[in-house]
Amino acid sequence: MTAELVRGQNHPLPGTRLEIRVSVGKPIVAGVTLSDEQGKVRGTDWVAHPGSPALPGLEVPKQAAAEHRLAVDLDAVPEAVHRVNVLLALPVGVGGPVSFAALAAPFVAVTGLDGSQVASYTITDLDAESAVVALELYRRQDAWKVRAVGQGYAGGLADMLTDQGLPGAHELAGTINEAVAQGLARSVAAPPPRPSDEARVRTTGQPSPGPGSPGPDGAAAGRPDPATHQPGDAGAGTTGAGTTGGGPVNYTHPGRQTTTPPPPPPTAAPAEPGRPAQPVAGDATGWSMEERLYNQVWGMFEDLARTMAAYRSAVDFADSRMEQELDKVLSDPRSRIGNTGDAAREAARAKHGLLVDQARAALDRDLGQLAAESEVVEPALPAPYAGWDSPVWHGYRVPMEIPMALRLGDLHLPERPDLRIPMLVRLPLERGLWIDSGRSSGTDSLADADQLRRLAMDSAVAHAARLLAAYPPNEFSVHVIDAAGTAAGALAPLVTSGVLAEPPASGAAGVSAVLAKLTQRVDLVQMAIRAGAADALPPDLDTAEQLLIVNDFPHGFDDRAVTQLRYLADEGPAVGVHLMMVADREDAAEYGPLLDPLWRALLRVTPVADDHLADPWVGHAWTYEPPMAPPGSQVVQQVLNQVGQARRTGGR
């Protein structure tokens, strides 16, 4: 039976190989410190954090996320260690919450490797704190116990590490915050929560249910109901195949709850007994079909992330169990006589194979349901959500309203590369884009630098075309800086269609003129907003959303231009000025850490498939594929021609 701890309470641990599972609902940092008999952390090599995630017997996540799993092998920690402290902290300098008062109460659980809960603790009464010691695992008479701590620190990680006696605590806190910021820069931002979900947390005072904790209906939250179109309970959650709980499991993804928005129409045929209902496009909640499809796609994204987390956890458990059994065989002298050892090893491998096969069967079932859902959802997507190969583009008309979101590409995991999830981001864009023209893990070793730059500019044009096609006439303007004039061929679709605000700028003078114009626009709009005098803007100011495409940075940029570019990346999105950088970071290496904030402010995408993006729930590495038109297709040019015609005629 799971022990539900309160602050200060302890509970014995039945084994030494464990997982610590954390659920908060917003991205947080998870780490571990080791301390000696006096409770002191002796050095930075006794701290596991995103920048240095592994210590003997410990492994923590490499980035901030809404849910975490920390692997613990207490037999492998150094003999001098008497306490293992589990730390939670809010990311610093990334625009998120500054205290735990803004979040649901963190839920922490200690589980076996099979997912069975040993103890859980909901950390309540946090207010101004931005870091907290959640649990401690401690030695007591050659055994280990867990204690609920819940000690918060308003001064964040630095104060927490100082309190634990760590030399250089402030320096290490800065290192951790830097590593977290880099990790968040590669994470796909989750959609904003529904107001009803926030209201539920605030009015009831109860945290969002953590993995394996009771959900709204009394079931264990974190895995979907196998009786619906969502993935089945054995593979789709973070709780693993061993989680217990009565009755069907309710999946609490906000896009799949019937809350304030009306439920989807009952268009699905009733499922046969014992079989899941057939998937239907638009069966998520929402006020419109567009919103329902958006929520459904994000629900599929989360389902696939959690399904794969459960599968990988089950395989890790099978590997660990086989390793333990083989170690036991090797340590027993009797196994060296006759065939006893061979039989024991064969039995261990057979158990391992059975566990992996069971996990794979559950995964294949869940992936099959998601693939069936994808097959009906993809053809139903409107143009902003659809790939360039969709027939919907052949009937494209310039819209009169801005859509909720835009497709920036596709995401998939290595276990099922053909199951692609549309990468939808909300409009207006909250971050600029960095199209990396340098080499990456997905780059063909034979591709030269010029070819990669051309592919990157082709990708930039495809992204710009999608943005132009999503906005009503004259509500989105595109500027281009091509200082050396090397991208004329790739830019031809934008130039010939007449969709650019002005010809591409070249040379140092052109760079300076465009940056001065856009920085002035940011300044004027910011001042008007602060003064509450939007009607006082100059009549000749273009109030449309602005996109600046910069090719081959930093060529043609002096120090002042670099400063202006950083300013646009930081301040521009809030007032409708967006940045799309086409650059190889190595080309700007001479600037050193000066440009680190610029790269982090932008969402990095690649012109070729590359596994550099992470989901906001589990932190899997997802392979991103850019939204390129099929070879030989003229769809991008045709769409741009329609946009250009609408701009010239005012939409008539």
Side-chain angles (χ1 to χ4, degrees), residues 97-285:
V98 296
S99 72
F100 278 102
L103 304 180
F107 175 85
V108 188
V110 181
T111 76
L113 295 183
D114 60 353
S116 57
Q117 281 194 14
V118 176
S120 66
Y121 173 39
T122 300
I123 310 174
T124 57
D125 300 326
L126 294 177
D127 187 16
E129 297 88 346
S130 59
V132 61
V133 179
L135 300 173
E136 66 175 13
L137 313 180
Y138 63 98
R139 296 184 194 264
R140 181 59 55 87
Q141 297 178 349
D142 296 327
W144 286 90
K145 292 186 175 184
V146 57
R147 177 184 289 118
V149 180
Q151 175 64 54
Y153 295 83
L157 275 172
D159 281 7
M160 176 192 293
L161 296 173
T162 299
D163 191 45
Q164 295 185 10
L166 175 68
H170 284 77
E171 290 78 4
L172 181 59
T175 300
I176 295 172
N177 290 330
E178 176 68 17
V180 171
Q182 292 179 4
L184 286 174
R186 60 183 285 270
S187 178
V188 181
R194 290 187 175 279
S196 53
D197 296 324
E198 294 288 342
R200 175 177 59 82
V201 173
R202 295 290 166 233
T203 56
T204 65
Q206 297 299 318
S208 299
S213 64
D217 59 355
R223 295 187 300 181
D225 183 351
T228 71
H229 71 285
Q230 302 168 16
D233 61 287
T238 58
T239 52
T243 303
T244 60
V249 183
N250 178 40
Y251 201 39
T252 58
H253 184 277
R256 298 194 172 203
Q257 295 180 57
T258 302
T259 55
T260 304
T267 54
E272 298 179 14
R275 298 186 61 184
Q278 294 301 307
V280 176
D283 72 342
T285 59

Side-chain angles (χ1 to χ4, degrees), residues 307-347:
T307 293
M308 204 58 66
Y311 167 71
R312 293 175 179 178
S313 177
V315 172
D316 288 344
F317 168 69
D319 292 343
S320 176
R321 178 172 176 174
M322 182 176 69
E323 182 181 341
Q324 285 181 306
E325 292 180 353
L326 292 177
D327 288 346
K328 184 178 180 180
V329 170
L330 292 174
S331 63
D332 186 354
R334 293 173 297 178
S335 65
R336 302 168 191 167
I337 303 174
N339 298 325
T340 304
D342 292 338
R345 283 188 287 270
E346 187 62 32

Side-chain angles (χ1 to χ4, degrees), residues 48-107:
H49 56 84
S52 179
L55 293 177
L58 296 167
E59 186 171 359
V60 303
K62 297 180 181 180
Q63 69 175 50
E67 296 185 3
H68 289 290
R69 292 183 178 205
L70 289 68
V72 180
D73 182 356
L74 295 172
D75 286 336
V77 301
E79 285 292 330
V81 171
H82 283 258
R83 295 183 193 171
V84 177
N85 308 290
V86 179
L87 318 177
L88 308 178
L90 298 178
V92 174
V94 296
V98 296
S99 72
F100 278 102
L103 304 180
F107 175 85

Side-chain angles (χ1 to χ4, degrees), residues 516-543 567-568 571 575 577:
K517 178 180 178 179
L518 291 177
T519 52
Q520 182 186 45
R521 182 192 183 281
V522 171
D523 290 340
L524 289 172
V525 175
Q526 282 184 336
M527 287 188 293
I529 292 174
R530 290 167 184 162
D535 56 349
L537 288 169
D540 60 342
L541 183 75
D542 184 3
T543 57
Y567 177 71
L568 292 178
E571 303 294 333
V575 291
V577 178

Side-chain angles (χ1 to χ4, degrees), residues 301-469:
F301 187 14
E302 184 173 354
D303 286 352
L304 182 53
R306 298 188 186 282
T307 293
M308 204 58 66
Y311 167 71
R312 293 175 179 178
S313 177
V315 172
D316 288 344
F317 168 69
D319 292 343
S320 176
R321 178 172 176 174
M322 182 176 69
E323 182 181 341
Q324 285 181 306
E325 292 180 353
L326 292 177
D327 288 346
K328 184 178 180 180
V329 170
L330 292 174
S331 63
D332 186 354
R334 293 173 297 178
S335 65
R336 302 168 191 167
I337 303 174
N339 298 325
T340 304
D342 292 338
R345 283 188 287 270
E346 187 62 32
R349 294 189 182 100
K351 290 179 183 177
H352 175 270
L354 179 61
L355 289 173
V356 172
D357 289 345
Q358 289 174 342
R360 186 72 209 194
L363 175 68
D364 289 342
R365 181 197 64 206
D366 296 340
L367 292 182
Q369 293 180 19
L370 276 172
E373 187 172 9
S374 178
E375 288 175 0
V376 298
V377 169
E378 188 71 48
L381 296 178
Y385 300 0
W388 285 118
D389 57 350
S390 171
V392 72
W393 287 106
H394 298 298
Y396 169 77
R397 295 292 182 270
V398 178
M400 300 308 294
E401 295 181 351
I402 302 173
M404 282 186 62
L406 189 76
R407 187 172 188 157
L408 286 186
D410 293 338
L411 299 168
H412 70 263
L413 292 171
E415 286 87 348
R416 185 70 185 268
D418 61 316
L419 180 53
R420 289 171 165 80
I421 303 295
M423 179 179 164
L424 301 183
V425 297
R426 292 293 289 266
L427 291 179
L429 295 175
E430 296 179 355
R431 295 172 68 184
L433 300 178
W434 165 30
I435 302 174
D436 191 351
S437 59
R439 292 194 174 276
S440 61
S441 61
T443 304
D444 187 343
S445 60
L446 299 179
D448 59 27
D450 291 339
Q451 182 181 3
L452 289 174
R453 289 191 180 97
R454 175 58 191 254
L455 288 173
M457 273 309 300
D458 288 342
S459 179
V461 170
H463 285 301
R466 297 185 72 87
L467 283 162
L468 284 161

